Amino acid sequence: IAAETQQPALALPWAAGTEWYLTSGPHGGWGGGSAWSAVDFVPGEGYLGCQPAASWATASAAGLVVQSAEGQVKVDLDGDGHEQTGWVLLYLHIASDGRVPVLTQVRQGDPIGHPSCEGGFGDATHLHFARKYNGEWMAAGGPIPMVLDGWQMRSAGTSYDGTATRGDQEREACVCQDPAINGLSS
């Protein structure tokens, strides 16, 4: 990765002005070899088990939906339709009902779908969110850290542990829904 490579500006993957919760810090994006590229979030709807959330996950940036199946949505930010070039965002555990169709051009803030347990492993409704660059998983904690609406994701050195910081604010990944501990908003 070239030294000057930077992540494009990304919004939190839910509606502006609403609060969701960081439930898992950096951990595997997809199976072995996917770096600790993912972080997990839940909307403030309380514990849902595996029932789909009423809240929408939204596009963090404009792009082309290149995959929409089996709980996954992948958005290609350069719009060329190839996951091996440029930045690609993975939204996992997206319910089939209401999920954005493949080949849809999305703008930042457009609905992607409802968090659920569909796809991959999930024992409770949540949004698993990760990034790839030129086909490679990008660790959420860096060297090019994941930054969403100014919140920088950081690893605590153990899979699933980590924080999000913005200015002098810090939130810690927690299986809880406490605005002072793990609440994030734009």
Side-chain angles (χ1 to χ4, degrees):
I1 298 172
E4 67 276 2
T5 303
Q6 294 183 10
Q7 173 197 275
L10 299 178
L12 288 165
W14 56 83
T18 60
E19 186 165 60
W20 284 32
Y21 300 92
L22 175 66
T23 55
S24 296
H27 61 283
W30 185 266
S34 61
W36 287 354
S37 58
V39 292
D40 292 343
F41 305 103
V42 298
E45 298 178 31
Y47 179 71
L48 298 170
C50 278
Q51 175 183 337
S55 300
W56 289 91
T58 61
S60 287
L64 175 67
V65 176
V66 293
Q67 183 173 355
S68 182
E70 299 174 356
Q72 301 175 58
V73 172
K74 292 181 182 172
V75 178
D76 175 20
L77 301 190
D78 67 13
D80 68 0
H82 299 286
E83 289 185 50
Q84 299 76 21
T85 60
W87 290 91
V88 173
L89 305 178
L90 167 69
Y91 299 76
L92 182 60
H93 306 303
I94 301 297
S96 55
D97 188 28
R99 188 171 52 226
V100 65
V102 71
L103 300 180
T104 300
Q105 284 287 147
V106 293
R107 294 171 297 172
Q108 187 177 66
D110 283 353
I112 294 293
H114 300 282
S116 71
C117 290
E118 286 185 38
F121 172 76
D123 59 3
T125 291
H126 68 285
L127 171 63
H128 175 96
F129 185 79
R131 310 167 301 162
K132 291 174 98 175
Y133 180 70
N134 288 343
E136 299 293 328
W137 293 101
M138 299 299 293
I144 302 171
M146 180 186 290
V147 179
L148 305 168
D149 273 329
W151 289 99
Q152 181 175 330
M153 303 302 146
R154 299 178 190 273
S155 173
T158 305
S159 185
Y160 293 95
D161 291 336
T163 60
T165 58
R166 182 170 69 183
D168 63 353
Q169 300 177 74
E170 182 175 86
R171 301 293 187 268
E172 183 176 352
C174 171
V175 182
C176 63
Q177 292 186 22
D178 185 327
I181 295 173
N182 65 334
L184 300 178
S185 62
S186 54

